[in-house]
């Protein structure tokens, strides 16, 4: 059977493990919608299972249970995912209708941008966002692997908080 618990990074990714069972059919259920089954195995003794784990846009870590049921056997696997609070963060308050994220430098950069209008997306170098609501906007960028940040344009920027970077 699979391990009882798996840790996932905040950015999400693919969780894979192999299920060894003597039953030919089994069901898989996920307790949360941010995890979904990616592949389906049939007719094998060893079943490779793969799940897509979405990025965690929240401050706190979160967990979910994957339940595997086959015949009379049942196993629950807990997935624990880190939250934004474990990342280096900067917060920028601005009033621009379009905003470009500062440039980050470091190794294996990954992160999540909360744009301040209810939308979020994964960090990419040079990414920008266009707003349809009225300012001001509070952008929170949580980054893994960041060692340096460069702000190129401060027009329309009212506040920059580096205290958690």
């Amino acid at each position: 059977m699979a391990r009882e618990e798996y840790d996932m990074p905040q950015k999400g990714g693919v969780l894979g493990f192999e299920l060894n069972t003597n039953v030919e059919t089994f069901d898989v259920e996920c307790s949360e919608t941010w995890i979904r089954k990616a592949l389906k195995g049939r007719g094998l003794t060893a079943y490779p299972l793969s799940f897509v784990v979405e990025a965690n846009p929240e401050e706190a870590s979160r967990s979910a249970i994957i339940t595997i049921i086959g015949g009379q056997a049942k196993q629950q696997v807990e997935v624990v995912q880190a939250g934004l609070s474990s990342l280096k963060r900067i917060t920028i308050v601005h009033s621009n209708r379009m905003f470009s994220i500062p440039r980050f430098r470091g190794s294996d950069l990954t992160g999540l941008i909360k744009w301040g209008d209810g939308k979020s997306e994964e960090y990419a170098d040079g990414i920008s966002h266009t707003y349809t609501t009225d300012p001001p906007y509070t952008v929170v960028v949580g980054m893994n692997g960041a060692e340096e940040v460069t702000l190129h344009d401060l027009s329309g920027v009212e506040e920059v908080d580096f205290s958690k970077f």
Side-chain angles (χ1 to χ4, degrees):
M1 289 300 247
R3 292 190 337 227
E4 289 186 14
E5 183 176 313
Y6 292 88
D7 292 323
M8 290 295 295
Q10 177 276 329
K11 67 179 181 174
V14 176
L15 169 64
F17 55 84
E18 196 168 89
L19 176 66
N20 292 307
T21 181
N22 60 359
V23 297
E24 290 187 27
T25 60
F26 57 90
D27 294 314
V28 177
E29 301 170 358
C30 297
S31 67
E32 301 291 336
T33 58
W34 51 269
I35 298 179
R36 61 189 181 280
K37 190 165 178 261
L39 299 175
K40 192 171 190 176
R42 291 188 184 184
L44 303 172
T45 301
Y47 296 93
L49 295 177
S50 184
F51 299 85
V52 175
V53 180
E54 296 175 4
N56 184 355
E58 303 301 323
E59 299 291 321
S61 63
R62 63 185 180 181
S63 65
I65 303 293
I66 298 172
T67 304
I68 304 163
I69 304 166
Q72 299 298 316
K74 176 180 175 181
Q75 182 183 3
Q76 292 188 322
V77 176
E78 182 176 18
V79 179
V80 179
Q81 185 179 30
L84 282 173
S85 62
S86 64
L87 306 176
K88 291 183 177 181
R89 288 190 304 167
I90 65 167
T91 302
I92 303 168
V93 179
H94 71 92
S95 58
N96 299 307
R97 287 292 181 175
M98 192 193 77
F99 188 75
S100 296
I101 290 299
R103 174 165 281 193
F104 289 87
R105 299 251 187 253
S107 58
D108 194 27
L109 289 175
T110 59
L112 187 70
I113 304 162
K114 294 173 88 170
W115 291 107
D117 62 355
K119 297 181 178 148
S120 62
E121 61 187 301
E122 290 186 32
Y123 169 80
D125 191 28
I127 195 168
S128 64
H129 182 72
T130 302
Y131 294 89
T132 58
T133 59
D134 292 329
Y137 313 104
T138 301
V139 177
V140 178
V141 183
M143 294 294 292
N144 277 316
E147 297 170 8
E148 180 182 313
V149 61
T150 305
L151 298 169
H152 295 288
D153 183 9
L154 294 176
S155 64
V157 174
E158 300 164 18
E159 179 182 334
V160 180
D161 181 359
F162 289 103
S163 64
K164 295 182 181 176
F165 188 78

